[in-house]
mmCIF file of all heavy atoms in Angstrom:
data_model
loop_
_atom_site.group_PDB
_atom_site.id
_atom_site.type_symbol
_atom_site.label_atom_id
_atom_site.label_comp_id
_atom_site.label_asym_id
_atom_site.label_seq_id
_atom_site.Cartn_x
_atom_site.Cartn_y
_atom_site.Cartn_z
ATOM 1 N N ALA S 1 81.835 -7.027 -68.744
ATOM 2 C CA ALA S 1 81.014 -7.431 -69.893
ATOM 3 C C ALA S 1 79.696 -6.669 -69.923
ATOM 4 O O ALA S 1 79.214 -6.272 -70.996
ATOM 5 C CB ALA S 1 80.759 -8.939 -69.849
ATOM 6 N N VAL S 2 79.095 -6.455 -68.759
ATOM 7 C CA VAL S 2 77.826 -5.725 -68.693
ATOM 8 C C VAL S 2 78.010 -4.288 -69.162
ATOM 9 O O VAL S 2 77.240 -3.778 -69.992
ATOM 10 C CB VAL S 2 77.264 -5.741 -67.256
ATOM 11 C CG1 VAL S 2 76.065 -4.792 -67.132
ATOM 12 C CG2 VAL S 2 76.845 -7.154 -66.861
ATOM 13 N N GLU S 3 79.046 -3.627 -68.643
ATOM 14 C CA GLU S 3 79.266 -2.224 -68.989
ATOM 15 C C GLU S 3 79.569 -2.059 -70.478
ATOM 16 O O GLU S 3 79.198 -1.044 -71.084
ATOM 17 C CB GLU S 3 80.396 -1.662 -68.127
ATOM 18 C CG GLU S 3 79.974 -1.470 -66.680
ATOM 19 C CD GLU S 3 81.132 -1.263 -65.708
ATOM 20 O OE1 GLU S 3 82.302 -1.447 -66.134
ATOM 21 O OE2 GLU S 3 80.876 -0.945 -64.542
ATOM 22 N N GLU S 4 80.208 -3.041 -71.072
ATOM 23 C CA GLU S 4 80.464 -2.994 -72.519
ATOM 24 C C GLU S 4 79.169 -3.237 -73.289
ATOM 25 O O GLU S 4 78.879 -2.544 -74.269
ATOM 26 C CB GLU S 4 81.505 -4.050 -72.882
ATOM 27 C CG GLU S 4 81.898 -4.051 -74.362
ATOM 28 C CD GLU S 4 82.554 -2.747 -74.809
ATOM 29 O OE1 GLU S 4 83.228 -2.091 -73.977
ATOM 30 O OE2 GLU S 4 82.385 -2.386 -75.995
ATOM 31 N N ALA S 5 78.379 -4.200 -72.826
ATOM 32 C CA ALA S 5 77.155 -4.572 -73.551
ATOM 33 C C ALA S 5 76.135 -3.440 -73.590
ATOM 34 O O ALA S 5 75.436 -3.253 -74.598
ATOM 35 C CB ALA S 5 76.538 -5.820 -72.919
ATOM 36 N N VAL S 6 75.999 -2.674 -72.497
ATOM 37 C CA VAL S 6 74.947 -1.648 -72.449
ATOM 38 C C VAL S 6 75.276 -0.430 -73.308
ATOM 39 O O VAL S 6 74.446 0.487 -73.419
ATOM 40 C CB VAL S 6 74.663 -1.206 -70.998
ATOM 41 C CG1 VAL S 6 74.203 -2.386 -70.156
ATOM 42 C CG2 VAL S 6 75.854 -0.505 -70.362
ATOM 43 N N LYS S 7 76.443 -0.427 -73.937
ATOM 44 C CA LYS S 7 76.743 0.636 -74.901
ATOM 45 C C LYS S 7 75.893 0.489 -76.155
ATOM 46 O O LYS S 7 75.746 1.438 -76.938
ATOM 47 C CB LYS S 7 78.229 0.599 -75.276
ATOM 48 C CG LYS S 7 79.173 0.937 -74.125
ATOM 49 C CD LYS S 7 80.631 0.786 -74.546
ATOM 50 C CE LYS S 7 81.581 1.074 -73.388
ATOM 51 N NZ LYS S 7 83.006 0.879 -73.777
ATOM 52 N N ASP S 8 75.325 -0.692 -76.354
ATOM 53 C CA ASP S 8 74.455 -0.968 -77.498
ATOM 54 C C ASP S 8 73.032 -0.530 -77.153
ATOM 55 O O ASP S 8 72.435 -1.046 -76.209
ATOM 56 C CB ASP S 8 74.480 -2.477 -77.796
ATOM 57 C CG ASP S 8 73.622 -2.880 -78.972
ATOM 58 O OD1 ASP S 8 72.882 -2.022 -79.518
ATOM 59 O OD2 ASP S 8 73.668 -4.072 -79.350
ATOM 60 N N PRO S 9 72.447 0.427 -77.894
ATOM 61 C CA PRO S 9 71.098 0.903 -77.563
ATOM 62 C C PRO S 9 70.026 -0.167 -77.703
ATOM 63 O O PRO S 9 68.918 -0.001 -77.178
ATOM 64 C CB PRO S 9 70.879 2.046 -78.558
ATOM 65 C CG PRO S 9 71.857 1.807 -79.656
ATOM 66 C CD PRO S 9 73.039 1.150 -79.026
ATOM 67 N N ALA S 10 70.330 -1.265 -78.383
ATOM 68 C CA ALA S 10 69.363 -2.357 -78.503
ATOM 69 C C ALA S 10 69.284 -3.196 -77.236
ATOM 70 O O ALA S 10 68.340 -3.972 -77.051
ATOM 71 C CB ALA S 10 69.716 -3.245 -79.694
ATOM 72 N N VAL S 11 70.290 -3.050 -76.361
ATOM 73 C CA VAL S 11 70.269 -3.772 -75.080
ATOM 74 C C VAL S 11 69.338 -3.020 -74.135
ATOM 75 O O VAL S 11 69.631 -1.912 -73.699
ATOM 76 C CB VAL S 11 71.681 -3.891 -74.473
ATOM 77 C CG1 VAL S 11 71.620 -4.465 -73.067
ATOM 78 C CG2 VAL S 11 72.550 -4.764 -75.361
ATOM 79 N N LYS S 12 68.206 -3.636 -73.843
ATOM 80 C CA LYS S 12 67.141 -2.954 -73.113
ATOM 81 C C LYS S 12 67.036 -3.329 -71.641
ATOM 82 O O LYS S 12 66.194 -2.775 -70.925
ATOM 83 C CB LYS S 12 65.795 -3.243 -73.798
ATOM 84 C CG LYS S 12 65.629 -2.580 -75.151
ATOM 85 C CD LYS S 12 65.554 -1.064 -75.022
ATOM 86 C CE LYS S 12 65.218 -0.397 -76.342
ATOM 87 N NZ LYS S 12 65.066 1.072 -76.186
ATOM 88 N N GLY S 13 67.829 -4.298 -71.189
ATOM 89 C CA GLY S 13 67.706 -4.630 -69.784
ATOM 90 C C GLY S 13 68.570 -5.792 -69.362
ATOM 91 O O GLY S 13 69.316 -6.373 -70.159
ATOM 92 N N MET S 14 68.436 -6.149 -68.076
ATOM 93 C CA MET S 14 69.209 -7.259 -67.516
ATOM 94 C C MET S 14 68.431 -7.898 -66.373
ATOM 95 O O MET S 14 67.820 -7.217 -65.551
ATOM 96 C CB MET S 14 70.567 -6.769 -67.006
ATOM 97 C CG MET S 14 71.414 -7.874 -66.348
ATOM 98 S SD MET S 14 73.134 -7.397 -66.062
ATOM 99 C CE MET S 14 72.961 -6.167 -64.760
ATOM 100 N N TRP S 15 68.450 -9.218 -66.338
ATOM 101 C CA TRP S 15 67.861 -9.975 -65.230
ATOM 102 C C TRP S 15 68.888 -10.103 -64.113
ATOM 103 O O TRP S 15 70.067 -10.348 -64.378
ATOM 104 C CB TRP S 15 67.468 -11.371 -65.691
ATOM 105 C CG TRP S 15 66.323 -11.425 -66.643
ATOM 106 C CD1 TRP S 15 66.387 -11.652 -67.992
ATOM 107 C CD2 TRP S 15 64.936 -11.258 -66.330
ATOM 108 N NE1 TRP S 15 65.126 -11.647 -68.541
ATOM 109 C CE2 TRP S 15 64.213 -11.401 -67.536
ATOM 110 C CE3 TRP S 15 64.230 -11.009 -65.149
ATOM 111 C CZ2 TRP S 15 62.830 -11.303 -67.590
ATOM 112 C CZ3 TRP S 15 62.852 -10.904 -65.205
ATOM 113 C CH2 TRP S 15 62.163 -11.049 -66.415
ATOM 114 N N CYS S 16 68.440 -9.973 -62.873
ATOM 115 C CA CYS S 16 69.330 -10.158 -61.729
ATOM 116 C C CYS S 16 68.590 -10.833 -60.583
ATOM 117 O O CYS S 16 67.449 -10.466 -60.275
ATOM 118 C CB CYS S 16 69.864 -8.811 -61.228
ATOM 119 S SG CYS S 16 71.061 -8.011 -62.320
ATOM 120 N N VAL S 17 69.242 -11.816 -59.962
ATOM 121 C CA VAL S 17 68.802 -12.360 -58.668
ATOM 122 C C VAL S 17 69.951 -12.049 -57.717
ATOM 123 O O VAL S 17 70.897 -12.828 -57.591
ATOM 124 C CB VAL S 17 68.519 -13.872 -58.745
ATOM 125 C CG1 VAL S 17 68.034 -14.391 -57.393
ATOM 126 C CG2 VAL S 17 67.498 -14.180 -59.839
ATOM 127 N N PRO S 18 69.899 -10.898 -57.033
ATOM 128 C CA PRO S 18 71.096 -10.351 -56.389
ATOM 129 C C PRO S 18 71.497 -10.995 -55.073
ATOM 130 O O PRO S 18 72.637 -10.845 -54.640
ATOM 131 C CB PRO S 18 70.724 -8.887 -56.167
ATOM 132 C CG PRO S 18 69.228 -8.909 -56.025
ATOM 133 C CD PRO S 18 68.766 -9.968 -56.974
ATOM 134 N N LYS S 19 70.571 -11.695 -54.425
ATOM 135 C CA LYS S 19 70.900 -12.327 -53.137
ATOM 136 C C LYS S 19 70.571 -13.811 -53.215
ATOM 137 O O LYS S 19 69.437 -14.187 -53.510
ATOM 138 C CB LYS S 19 70.121 -11.660 -52.002
ATOM 139 C CG LYS S 19 70.517 -12.172 -50.622
ATOM 140 C CD LYS S 19 69.779 -11.421 -49.511
ATOM 141 C CE LYS S 19 70.177 -11.977 -48.146
ATOM 142 N NZ LYS S 19 69.423 -11.340 -47.042
ATOM 143 N N TYR S 20 71.577 -14.659 -52.977
ATOM 144 C CA TYR S 20 71.451 -16.103 -53.130
ATOM 145 C C TYR S 20 70.917 -16.430 -54.529
ATOM 146 O O TYR S 20 69.867 -17.030 -54.698
ATOM 147 C CB TYR S 20 70.559 -16.700 -52.029
ATOM 148 C CG TYR S 20 71.051 -16.383 -50.648
ATOM 149 C CD1 TYR S 20 70.224 -15.786 -49.699
ATOM 150 C CD2 TYR S 20 72.369 -16.651 -50.294
ATOM 151 C CE1 TYR S 20 70.697 -15.482 -48.427
ATOM 152 C CE2 TYR S 20 72.847 -16.347 -49.026
ATOM 153 C CZ TYR S 20 71.997 -15.751 -48.093
ATOM 154 O OH TYR S 20 72.475 -15.442 -46.851
ATOM 155 N N SER S 21 71.685 -16.011 -55.513
ATOM 156 C CA SER S 21 71.277 -16.129 -56.912
ATOM 157 C C SER S 21 70.868 -17.552 -57.258
ATOM 158 O O SER S 21 71.415 -18.519 -56.730
ATOM 159 C CB SER S 21 72.420 -15.688 -57.835
ATOM 160 O OG SER S 21 73.539 -16.556 -57.689
ATOM 161 N N ASN S 22 69.902 -17.653 -58.130
ATOM 162 C CA ASN S 22 69.421 -18.932 -58.648
ATOM 163 C C ASN S 22 70.221 -19.264 -59.899
ATOM 164 O O ASN S 22 70.157 -18.530 -60.879
ATOM 165 C CB ASN S 22 67.934 -18.783 -58.984
ATOM 166 C CG ASN S 22 67.294 -20.036 -59.535
ATOM 167 O OD1 ASN S 22 67.974 -21.006 -59.862
ATOM 168 N ND2 ASN S 22 65.976 -20.013 -59.680
ATOM 169 N N PRO S 23 71.026 -20.342 -59.906
ATOM 170 C CA PRO S 23 71.105 -21.399 -58.905
ATOM 171 C C PRO S 23 72.342 -21.351 -58.005
ATOM 172 O O PRO S 23 72.507 -22.209 -57.150
ATOM 173 C CB PRO S 23 71.195 -22.641 -59.785
ATOM 174 C CG PRO S 23 72.049 -22.201 -60.941
ATOM 175 C CD PRO S 23 71.677 -20.758 -61.189
ATOM 176 N N GLU S 24 73.232 -20.398 -58.168
ATOM 177 C CA GLU S 24 74.561 -20.504 -57.561
ATOM 178 C C GLU S 24 74.649 -20.038 -56.112
ATOM 179 O O GLU S 24 75.659 -20.252 -55.448
ATOM 180 C CB GLU S 24 75.581 -19.751 -58.419
ATOM 181 C CG GLU S 24 75.712 -20.352 -59.817
ATOM 182 C CD GLU S 24 77.035 -20.049 -60.451
ATOM 183 O OE1 GLU S 24 77.274 -18.884 -60.794
ATOM 184 O OE2 GLU S 24 77.828 -20.989 -60.591
ATOM 185 N N GLY S 25 73.594 -19.384 -55.616
ATOM 186 C CA GLY S 25 73.613 -18.961 -54.222
ATOM 187 C C GLY S 25 74.573 -17.832 -53.930
ATOM 188 O O GLY S 25 75.019 -17.650 -52.799
ATOM 189 N N ILE S 26 74.898 -17.032 -54.949
ATOM 190 C CA ILE S 26 75.855 -15.928 -54.806
ATOM 191 C C ILE S 26 75.143 -14.675 -54.315
ATOM 192 O O ILE S 26 74.044 -14.353 -54.761
ATOM 193 C CB ILE S 26 76.543 -15.642 -56.152
ATOM 194 C CG1 ILE S 26 77.491 -16.792 -56.515
ATOM 195 C CG2 ILE S 26 77.296 -14.310 -56.123
ATOM 196 C CD1 ILE S 26 78.022 -16.723 -57.926
ATOM 197 N N ILE S 27 75.756 -13.969 -53.389
ATOM 198 C CA ILE S 27 75.308 -12.632 -52.999
ATOM 199 C C ILE S 27 76.164 -11.623 -53.752
ATOM 200 O O ILE S 27 77.391 -11.635 -53.646
ATOM 201 C CB ILE S 27 75.442 -12.407 -51.486
ATOM 202 C CG1 ILE S 27 74.559 -13.399 -50.712
ATOM 203 C CG2 ILE S 27 75.060 -10.972 -51.120
ATOM 204 C CD1 ILE S 27 74.661 -13.258 -49.202
ATOM 205 N N TYR S 28 75.524 -10.762 -54.550
ATOM 206 C CA TYR S 28 76.275 -9.755 -55.286
ATOM 207 C C TYR S 28 77.098 -8.914 -54.302
ATOM 208 O O TYR S 28 76.607 -8.508 -53.249
ATOM 209 C CB TYR S 28 75.340 -8.813 -56.043
ATOM 210 C CG TYR S 28 74.635 -9.401 -57.249
ATOM 211 C CD1 TYR S 28 74.582 -10.776 -57.492
ATOM 212 C CD2 TYR S 28 73.985 -8.560 -58.153
ATOM 213 C CE1 TYR S 28 73.926 -11.284 -58.589
ATOM 214 C CE2 TYR S 28 73.326 -9.066 -59.263
ATOM 215 C CZ TYR S 28 73.287 -10.426 -59.476
ATOM 216 O OH TYR S 28 72.627 -10.927 -60.565
ATOM 217 N N SER S 29 78.327 -8.625 -54.659
ATOM 218 C CA SER S 29 79.198 -7.818 -53.798
ATOM 219 C C SER S 29 78.768 -6.350 -53.842
ATOM 220 O O SER S 29 78.058 -5.909 -54.757
ATOM 221 C CB SER S 29 80.644 -7.929 -54.265
ATOM 222 O OG SER S 29 80.823 -7.264 -55.514
ATOM 223 N N ALA S 30 79.220 -5.589 -52.846
ATOM 224 C CA ALA S 30 78.910 -4.160 -52.786
ATOM 225 C C ALA S 30 79.423 -3.442 -54.034
ATOM 226 O O ALA S 30 78.760 -2.546 -54.575
ATOM 227 C CB ALA S 30 79.515 -3.549 -51.527
ATOM 228 N N GLU S 31 80.605 -3.839 -54.507
ATOM 229 C CA GLU S 31 81.163 -3.203 -55.712
ATOM 230 C C GLU S 31 80.305 -3.503 -56.933
ATOM 231 O O GLU S 31 80.029 -2.611 -57.748
ATOM 232 C CB GLU S 31 82.587 -3.693 -55.963
ATOM 233 C CG GLU S 31 83.220 -3.066 -57.197
ATOM 234 C CD GLU S 31 84.566 -3.672 -57.565
ATOM 235 O OE1 GLU S 31 85.049 -4.556 -56.843
ATOM 236 O OE2 GLU S 31 85.127 -3.260 -58.608
ATOM 237 N N THR S 32 79.874 -4.757 -57.066
ATOM 238 C CA THR S 32 79.030 -5.125 -58.207
ATOM 239 C C THR S 32 77.719 -4.346 -58.188
ATOM 240 O O THR S 32 77.285 -3.806 -59.213
ATOM 241 C CB THR S 32 78.740 -6.639 -58.188
ATOM 242 O OG1 THR S 32 79.959 -7.348 -58.415
ATOM 243 C CG2 THR S 32 77.730 -7.019 -59.270
ATOM 244 N N ILE S 33 77.092 -4.266 -57.019
ATOM 245 C CA ILE S 33 75.823 -3.549 -56.898
ATOM 246 C C ILE S 33 76.021 -2.076 -57.233
ATOM 247 O O ILE S 33 75.199 -1.468 -57.937
ATOM 248 C CB ILE S 33 75.255 -3.724 -55.477
ATOM 249 C CG1 ILE S 33 74.848 -5.187 -55.250
ATOM 250 C CG2 ILE S 33 74.054 -2.810 -55.250
ATOM 251 C CD1 ILE S 33 74.496 -5.508 -53.819
ATOM 252 N N ASP S 34 77.111 -1.499 -56.758
ATOM 253 C CA ASP S 34 77.385 -0.086 -57.045
ATOM 254 C C ASP S 34 77.592 0.134 -58.540
ATOM 255 O O ASP S 34 77.090 1.117 -59.111
ATOM 256 C CB ASP S 34 78.621 0.354 -56.259
ATOM 257 C CG ASP S 34 78.905 1.834 -56.420
ATOM 258 O OD1 ASP S 34 78.119 2.652 -55.916
ATOM 259 O OD2 ASP S 34 79.923 2.185 -57.069
ATOM 260 N N ARG S 35 78.313 -0.768 -59.187
ATOM 261 C CA ARG S 35 78.545 -0.618 -60.630
ATOM 262 C C ARG S 35 77.244 -0.775 -61.423
ATOM 263 O O ARG S 35 77.024 -0.083 -62.428
ATOM 264 C CB ARG S 35 79.591 -1.628 -61.108
ATOM 265 C CG ARG S 35 81.000 -1.304 -60.636
ATOM 266 C CD ARG S 35 82.001 -2.373 -61.016
ATOM 267 N NE ARG S 35 82.295 -2.397 -62.451
ATOM 268 C CZ ARG S 35 83.207 -3.200 -63.006
ATOM 269 N NH1 ARG S 35 83.880 -4.055 -62.236
ATOM 270 N NH2 ARG S 35 83.430 -3.158 -64.317
ATOM 271 N N ILE S 36 76.369 -1.666 -60.959
ATOM 272 C CA ILE S 36 75.075 -1.818 -61.625
ATOM 273 C C ILE S 36 74.251 -0.543 -61.466
ATOM 274 O O ILE S 36 73.661 -0.045 -62.434
ATOM 275 C CB ILE S 36 74.305 -3.029 -61.061
ATOM 276 C CG1 ILE S 36 75.012 -4.333 -61.435
ATOM 277 C CG2 ILE S 36 72.871 -3.058 -61.597
ATOM 278 C CD1 ILE S 36 74.412 -5.574 -60.790
ATOM 279 N N ALA S 37 74.211 -0.002 -60.246
ATOM 280 C CA ALA S 37 73.431 1.215 -60.002
ATOM 281 C C ALA S 37 73.933 2.386 -60.836
ATOM 282 O O ALA S 37 73.147 3.248 -61.248
ATOM 283 C CB ALA S 37 73.481 1.572 -58.519
ATOM 284 N N HIS S 38 75.232 2.415 -61.126
ATOM 285 C CA HIS S 38 75.838 3.520 -61.871
ATOM 286 C C HIS S 38 75.949 3.251 -63.368
ATOM 287 O O HIS S 38 76.625 4.001 -64.088
ATOM 288 C CB HIS S 38 77.228 3.843 -61.314
ATOM 289 C CG HIS S 38 77.207 4.628 -60.035
ATOM 290 N ND1 HIS S 38 77.078 4.029 -58.791
ATOM 291 C CD2 HIS S 38 77.277 5.969 -59.801
ATOM 292 C CE1 HIS S 38 77.085 4.959 -57.856
ATOM 293 N NE2 HIS S 38 77.207 6.138 -58.429
#
C-alpha cells in the first residue's frame, strides 16, 4: 500500500515508529525497513 501510495506526488511523507510501535509494540522487519529505505 505504501509503495502504491507514494506514486502520487501529493503524498509528501509518512509517520513511522519503527521499534515497539505505538501502540502495537511491533518492531519493523528487516524487509520492511529495506523497502522503506528504497
Side-chain angles (χ1 to χ4, degrees):
V2 171
E3 288 165 351
E4 183 63 31
V6 300
K7 294 176 182 178
D8 180 353
V11 172
K12 290 293 187 177
M14 178 168 69
W15 291 105
C16 289
V17 181
K19 186 176 179 184
Y20 303 126
S21 64
N22 180 350
E24 297 204 290
I26 290 170
I27 298 179
Y28 288 14
S29 70
E31 180 187 358
T32 294
I33 293 170
D34 184 69
R35 289 175 71 176
I36 292 173
H38 283 85

